[in-house]
Amino acid sequence: EGKLDLYYFDESGFSLQPNIPYGWQKKGATIELETTRSPHLNALGFLTRDNTFFPYLIEGYVDRFVLVEVFEDFLSSLDPTRRKMIVMDNAPTHVSEFFQLHEEHWKQQYKVELFPLPTYSPELNIIEILWRFVKYKWLPWKAYHSIEKLQDELWNIFLNVGNKFTISFG
């Protein structure tokens, strides 16, 4: 038929530490930020243009083994008879030898093609818009009270993408 299901994949990190360690202040005033280490949450996800979102949230580091496990879980949940394409960037874990060893298996078993984006072109991956909305529009300030609260608020958003939280890709 020439049709395929198109997904956009990427990861994004979240923690209680500010991403930008500076801010605006009144002249002569000093703003201090506590410099404690925070557990790190990594969100991985597959997004479609109609706001269907398949999220994964992992505490700690995402390496090539975790990435392959996430892809296996996601692909096994889809219709194996439909052709699929996954658009993704060239992050080191995405181009690792271990990850690439699984591509042919996924192509045969799940009818999926991976489409790597050109280097330094995040604007071509629409899931980057989702991460920006989560971090700067949808995530409430109260999420940063504790790592548990941050995790709860992230799941609230992730499970409501396409309903309460939508993006118009016009």
Side-chain angles (χ1 to χ4, degrees):
E1 241 180 40
K3 292 183 181 180
L4 60 86
D5 296 331
L6 181 61
Y7 301 93
Y8 295 84
F9 172 80
D10 197 25
E11 307 97 343
S12 189
F14 297 86
S15 76
L16 300 180
Q17 289 178 283
N19 289 331
I20 302 173
Y22 59 85
W24 293 100
Q25 61 197 30
K26 290 185 179 182
K27 188 174 183 176
T30 302
I31 296 175
E32 295 181 11
L33 297 174
E34 190 174 329
T35 59
T36 58
R37 297 288 282 164
S38 165
H40 197 79
L41 299 174
N42 281 296
L44 298 88
F46 300 85
L47 179 67
T48 65
R49 291 188 75 78
D50 69 355
N51 285 272
T52 302
F53 184 52
F54 302 88
Y56 294 82
L57 191 59
I58 295 165
E59 189 170 336
Y61 186 67
V62 174
D63 61 13
R64 62 190 186 266
F65 303 110
V66 172
L67 185 64
V68 166
E69 191 175 315
V70 165
F71 265 72
E72 282 286 345
D73 183 71
F74 173 68
L75 293 170
S76 68
S77 72
L78 302 176
D79 181 348
T81 64
R82 292 187 56 86
R83 293 179 51 227
K84 301 159 221 37
M85 180 172 286
I86 299 175
V87 175
M88 56 197 290
D89 63 24
N90 290 295
T93 52
H94 304 171
V95 296
S96 72
E97 186 177 334
F98 183 76
F99 184 79
Q100 290 178 347
L101 286 172
H102 293 80
E103 286 185 43
E104 188 59 34
H105 162 72
W106 293 333
K107 185 176 184 176
Q108 298 302 317
Q109 182 163 351
Y110 302 115
K111 293 187 176 182
V112 65
E113 293 279 341
L114 302 181
F115 183 82
L117 291 170
T119 307
Y120 305 113
S121 57
E123 70 280 1
L124 299 177
N125 193 344
I126 66 169
I127 199 169
E128 295 286 357
I129 298 168
L130 175 90
W131 299 137
R132 189 174 68 239
F133 273 52
V134 171
K135 288 181 177 187
Y136 303 112
K137 188 173 182 179
W138 298 335
L139 199 59
W141 283 107
K142 67 181 179 179
Y144 295 99
H145 289 183
S146 70
I147 199 68
E148 295 80 16
K149 186 69 175 164
L150 179 59
Q151 190 170 21
D152 289 346
E153 293 293 340
L154 286 170
W155 274 119
N156 176 51
I157 293 168
F158 294 165
L159 296 176
N160 287 293
V161 168
N163 298 317
K164 184 177 175 184
F165 303 100
T166 59
I167 302 170
S168 174
F169 296 109

